[in-house]
Amino acid sequence: MSTRMFSEDQLERLRSYPDISREDLIRYFTLTPADFAFINPGRVRAGVAGQVQDGRGADRAGEGG
């Protein structure tokens, strides 16, 4: 016997994109000067570059510096 974890309404909400304005997208997903200072393109560690690039946030062994 199979049981469902989510109702149809919950599944629909999970599968859809949230209502977010263009201004909110820009505010939350634009790098600030502090972000750039942290990343420092002249001295980027491979782990930090990977975090920014793929969003995983985990430094891989041997990729720091």
Side-chain angles (χ1 to χ4, degrees), residues 11-47:
L11 285 173
E12 181 61 32
R13 283 196 323 246
L14 289 169
R15 291 176 179 149
S16 65
Y17 291 100
D19 291 330
I20 186 167
S21 70
R22 178 176 168 80
E23 292 78 22
D24 285 339
L25 284 172
I26 292 168
R27 181 179 327 143
Y28 294 117
F29 297 104
T30 299
L31 295 177
T32 65
D35 297 328
F36 283 112
F38 174 74
I39 296 168
N40 192 357
R43 300 179 342 140
V44 175
R45 287 184 20 222

Side-chain angles (χ1 to χ4, degrees), residues 40-63:
N40 192 357
R43 300 179 342 140
V44 175
R45 287 184 20 222
V48 174
Q51 291 172 16
V52 172
Q53 233 174 17
D54 62 21
R56 285 184 278 185
D59 192 358
R60 295 185 194 107
E63 284 191 4

